[in-house]
Amino acid sequence: NKYLYDPLDPVHTLGGNHSGPQDHPEVIRVGAINQRPNWERQDVLVFETPTLVEDVEVIGPVTVTLFASSSTVDTDFVARLIDIQPNGIAYNLTEGILRARFKESIYQAPKLLEPGKVYEYEIDLQPTANVFQKNHRICVHITSSGFPLWDRNPNTGHDQGMDTELKVAEQTIFHDAQRPSHIILPVIPNKPTLDTQPECV
């Protein structure tokens, strides 16, 4: 899957677990917001499960592993977990972002990318607790921006906050046997019903 990330046209922040400016909800809002306005953007990859046949309870940390390449020396990758209701409304649950130059560590010197090379990225999303109910769908969005919650990456590799140049990045996300991009959800096993009898041994 490929998409173009243009810093001049970033994906707009729709809700989230943050303390945005409550006096300017027209700019940024917090909490669970329907993600449908971003659904048809060419720079948002959408991955959905089939309709669930039973409840799926998720509690704990969430991690997305991406195998991806970029045409630029630095860029961002954003992952968002979404609960799609039967009526089509899609509420965000949790999200995370990784700036590629810090793919190895935020505590060490940043390392720029080799354009076109495939790297493995691990994106930590904030922990969550949710029951994806029967007839809902589990969805993941992959993109490269979430503005204004996160500053835009100009994709140049220059010193952060000192850029006047912007570049469009061509992003490629891989999900084959050798490069299995995936999400890890902390699924809680189904609990026995109250009328289940204990097994005698």
Side-chain angles (χ1 to χ4, degrees), residues 22 25 29 50 81 121 185:
Q22 297 301 306
R29 295 171 59 191
L81 179 64
Y121 301 93
L185 297 176

Side-chain angles (χ1 to χ4, degrees), residues 12-65:
H12 189 73
T13 302
L14 295 176
N17 184 10
H18 57 87
S19 54
Q22 297 301 306
D23 54 340
H24 292 288
E26 73 282 1
V27 177
I28 184 171
R29 295 171 59 191
V30 302
I33 303 294
N34 188 9
Q35 299 297 300
R36 286 292 175 181
N38 286 335
W39 217 265
E40 301 301 325
R41 290 183 59 110
Q42 64 83 28
D43 54 352
V44 177
L45 299 183
V46 180
F47 301 92
E48 301 179 21
T49 67
T51 300
L52 299 177
V53 297
E54 62 180 10
D55 291 355
V56 176
E57 185 175 7
V58 170
I59 301 177
V62 179
T63 302
V64 167
T65 298

Side-chain angles (χ1 to χ4, degrees), residues 123-183:
I123 306 174
D124 291 323
L125 284 63
Q126 295 173 323
T128 192
N130 184 67
V131 176
F132 294 91
Q133 296 180 341
K134 180 181 178 180
N135 296 323
H136 287 219
R137 282 172 288 156
I138 300 172
C139 177
V140 175
H141 279 186
I142 301 297
T143 185
S144 289
S145 55
F147 185 79
L149 177 59
W150 294 308
D151 65 308
R152 301 169 299 164
N153 193 321
N155 300 323
T156 62
H158 299 160
D159 290 344
Q160 295 193 102
M162 304 296 291
D163 229 325
T164 58
E165 179 186 1
L166 301 175
K167 290 185 176 181
V168 176
E170 181 181 72
Q171 322 287 47
T172 304
I173 308 298
F174 299 87
H175 45 88
D176 52 35
Q178 291 74 37
R179 298 159 296 190
S181 296
H182 59 276
I183 185 170

Side-chain angles (χ1 to χ4, degrees), residues 33-125:
I33 303 294
N34 188 9
Q35 299 297 300
R36 286 292 175 181
N38 286 335
W39 217 265
E40 301 301 325
R41 290 183 59 110
Q42 64 83 28
D43 54 352
V44 177
L45 299 183
V46 180
F47 301 92
E48 301 179 21
T49 67
T51 300
L52 299 177
V53 297
E54 62 180 10
D55 291 355
V56 176
E57 185 175 7
V58 170
I59 301 177
V62 179
T63 302
V64 167
T65 298
L66 286 184
F67 290 85
S69 66
S70 178
S71 63
T72 55
V73 296
D74 190 36
T75 194
D76 289 349
F77 289 105
V78 173
R80 182 170 295 108
L81 179 64
I82 297 168
D83 185 343
I84 305 177
Q85 299 185 355
N87 61 6
I89 294 177
Y91 287 118
N92 53 302
L93 296 175
T94 183
E95 59 195 352
I97 185 172
L98 180 64
R99 183 145 292 187
R101 67 172 70 190
F102 297 113
K103 61 188 177 302
E104 296 182 8
S105 173
I106 61 172
Y107 303 106
Q108 300 175 6
K111 295 182 180 180
L112 298 181
L113 304 176
E114 179 182 329
K117 181 177 178 179
V118 180
Y119 294 89
E120 180 177 352
Y121 301 93
E122 186 170 301
I123 306 174
D124 291 323
L125 284 63

